[in-house]
Amino acid sequence: MSVSCVRFTADAFMVCLTHALSTENEEVMGLCIGEVGEDRVSRISAVILLRRSDKRKDRVEISPEQLSNAAIQAEILSHELGRPMRVLGWYHSHPHITVWPSHVDVRTQAMYQLMDECFVGVIFSVFNEDKKTKQHHMQITCFQSTNSSPEGEPPQYERVAVPLYIIRTNYLHQENMQSLVTLPSILTDEEFEAYSHTFNVKNTNFVSRLQNSAVFTKSVCHLMHVQTGPLMGSLENRVIQNKWRIEELQQKKTQLEQRLRELP
């Protein structure tokens, strides 16, 4: 195994989880950015949410253009932070199904490891309900792929579990804040792209066009209700908490300045 473990900062992990919970009908995906030390520990501190060109229940794909754009963003982030940041892995959701990667996931992971042996995959299994207690639960796994076939035979890839740890952070970093606020825009763009495909259908009658428009409007309103509204409320609460924190720090500053003046 090329990576000993993965350390995921809490704010980057929160963005991934929010993205995974954004829809229970199709899988979503994104890329993880961070750095790998000499100890072979993968430290993920930022994520890039990817827009889906094809919305399917059981499949997600990352285009070469998206990987290239993510590498460029990682270089920009590396320059801003003064640390060697790069794309370290990918994540996607498994709504209503098991957390374990499918044979397609394992094969895809093996393909990414050909480019970078430290590349990891993370899966969020969400919207699972216990039939007895009716409680929802979530599962997460981190993995890499290994070829178990003897030399000279067709490859047979298997999952190798990678330990994952969530590292506490005291605040939401700017790069993760930016990813979080772009989520409603990404989801809206996906809905509009699906709606725009109906424009190319020939001989569509008025009732069908009206139906398509109504479905699109309903989808956008649903996104506003479950994504944009709660996100705005959360950010407004964070602003209030920051103001309280500023006031506390100013009071401490005043007290310390008073103590300094009282010193002989």
Side-chain angles (χ1 to χ4, degrees), residues 31-70:
L31 293 170
C32 305
I33 295 179
E35 53 189 326
V36 179
E38 296 180 357
D39 53 0
R40 313 299 291 177
V41 174
S42 178
R43 295 173 173 84
I44 298 174
S45 56
V47 294
I48 297 177
L49 312 185
L50 297 182
R51 176 180 169 183
R52 298 166 294 174
S53 57
D54 185 14
K55 297 168 64 176
R56 288 183 286 181
K57 292 183 178 181
D58 59 349
R59 193 71 52 83
V60 288
E61 295 179 355
I62 302 174
S63 67
E65 292 80 6
Q66 289 175 320
L67 275 175
S68 177
N69 292 334

Side-chain angles (χ1 to χ4, degrees), residues 76-214:
I76 295 174
L77 189 59
S78 177
H79 178 73
E80 293 176 351
L81 299 178
R83 304 201 309 268
M85 309 289 283
R86 73 174 195 258
V87 180
L88 292 180
W90 66 306
Y91 72 88
H92 69 285
S93 65
H94 275 187
H96 297 291
I97 59 176
T98 178
V99 71
W100 307 121
S102 65
H103 67 281
V104 176
D105 295 333
V106 175
R107 189 168 62 247
T108 301
Q109 173 63 29
M111 179 188 67
Y112 291 141
Q113 287 177 217
L114 293 176
M115 298 182 292
D116 184 350
E117 64 178 2
C118 295
F119 213 86
V120 297
V122 181
I123 297 177
F124 292 82
S125 176
V126 291
F127 299 107
N128 295 313
E129 183 182 75
D130 188 285
K131 294 182 179 180
K132 294 183 179 180
T133 63
K134 300 301 180 181
Q135 293 182 344
H136 288 268
H137 63 274
M138 175 192 67
Q139 293 177 300
I140 304 157
T141 187
C142 183
F143 69 100
Q144 287 191 302
S145 295
T146 183
N147 183 11
S148 59
S149 296
E151 186 176 355
E153 295 187 7
Q156 294 290 332
Y157 295 110
E158 295 181 352
R159 174 186 66 90
V160 177
V162 178
L164 185 147
Y165 304 96
I166 310 301
I167 307 304
R168 179 179 177 180
T169 53
N170 295 324
Y171 58 92
L172 183 61
H173 291 82
Q174 178 63 33
E175 58 271 16
N176 292 318
M177 172 71 78
Q178 186 61 36
S179 295
L180 187 62
V181 299
T182 58
L183 177 57
S185 176
I186 291 175
L187 297 176
T188 302
D189 289 342
E190 291 177 350
E191 293 294 339
F192 181 76
E193 183 177 4
Y195 173 53
S196 63
H197 289 164
T198 64
F199 301 160
N200 301 324
V201 179
K202 297 181 179 180
N203 302 322
T204 305
N205 57 42
F206 173 77
V207 175
S208 296
R209 293 196 299 270
L210 186 63
Q211 167 71 11
N212 294 334
S213 178

